[in-house]
Amino acid sequence: MQAFTAHTGLAVTIDSANIDTDQIIPKQFLSKVTRDGFGVHLFHDWRYLDDAGDKPNPDFVLNHPRYKGASILLTQENFGCGSSREHAPWALADFGLRVIIAPSFADIFYGNSINNGLLPVKLAAEQVQQIIDEVAAKEGAQVTVDLQALQVTSPTGAVFSFSLTESARHKLLNGLDAIGLTLSFEQSITDYETNIPAWYA
């Protein structure tokens, strides 16, 4: 998993609340078990005018040329609600997104994102709206997210603080998923197993 320290990138807005995981990655694309290849199906029903995905919807924001290469998504409350599919953060990350900024997230999606190297940032609704307005006002507007400082810097330089549990922050800063976190204690585990009394085994 790629470590996350700080990221500056082009921001894009999907200005809707309660975007669920079936909208993020529809159920018909969940047959794969690897994490790659889902980005092409991200927001499939909004991005395309046909089921095959051959006809991009010119009205959907991710298809606008000005947002090509966006790596930060701004959205509204309760992002990632619905089913607990881990494919949702996989699709967002595979598309190229590194950060999702919203007033709130569904709990399971929030945890799945952190476990897959995607940073979910909670800001107050008015702060999110300020950044959305700044992004809309200037083509190419970029946002900076600093995980070490726990700060978001808007396109005009406004700075907003956010919080994250220390365990989640540690995993993201060091690029550790659940398995990687366990393996970081490999020597301690080996030492413990070495010292188990023979009678106990």
Side-chain angles (χ1 to χ4, degrees):
M1 193 168 86
Q2 184 179 359
F4 190 113
T5 52
H7 176 74
T8 297
L10 180 67
V12 62
T13 299
I14 300 180
D15 199 3
S16 299
N18 304 308
I19 296 176
D20 65 36
T21 51
D22 196 49
Q23 291 165 323
I24 296 171
I25 179 70
K27 59 185 178 299
Q28 65 266 33
F29 302 114
L30 304 186
S31 58
K32 293 179 59 179
V33 294
T34 56
R35 300 183 185 190
D36 59 340
F38 289 100
V40 68
H41 304 301
L42 179 68
F43 299 117
H44 183 276
D45 294 343
W46 296 343
R47 281 173 68 195
Y48 303 106
L49 297 174
D50 63 323
D51 291 340
D54 296 325
K55 299 177 181 178
N57 178 1
D59 295 327
F60 185 57
V61 65
L62 290 185
N63 292 332
H64 295 179
R66 69 176 281 183
Y67 296 115
K68 184 177 176 59
S71 57
I72 296 175
L73 175 63
L74 298 157
T75 189
Q76 298 294 353
E77 67 270 11
N78 200 29
F79 186 80
C81 57
S83 68
S84 60
R85 65 193 65 170
E86 200 168 15
H87 305 73
W90 291 355
L92 291 158
D94 192 58
F95 182 78
L97 294 166
R98 299 294 314 282
V99 183
I100 313 294
I101 300 175
S104 62
F105 297 87
D107 289 342
I108 294 176
F109 173 85
Y110 187 83
N112 282 341
S113 294
I114 291 167
N115 289 334
N116 287 281
L118 182 68
L119 175 59
V121 173
K122 297 179 187 177
L123 293 179
E126 59 271 19
Q127 295 172 335
V128 174
Q129 191 59 53
Q130 178 178 333
I131 302 173
I132 286 173
D133 292 342
E134 291 182 18
V135 168
K138 182 181 179 182
E139 185 168 350
Q142 295 195 330
V143 172
T144 296
V145 180
D146 189 332
L147 183 56
Q148 292 180 313
L150 293 173
Q151 291 181 333
V152 174
T153 303
S154 79
T156 64
V159 177
F160 305 112
S161 297
F162 66 95
S163 61
L164 195 67
T165 65
E166 189 52 41
S167 61
R169 184 168 173 268
H170 173 77
K171 285 194 289 187
L172 286 165
L173 284 171
N174 293 280
L176 299 172
D177 58 13
I179 294 173
L181 182 63
T182 300
L183 290 175
S184 70
F185 296 100
E186 185 175 10
Q187 187 58 54
S188 296
I189 294 169
T190 299
D191 292 344
Y192 174 80
E193 291 178 338
T194 300
N195 290 298
I196 295 176
W199 61 264
Y200 187 80

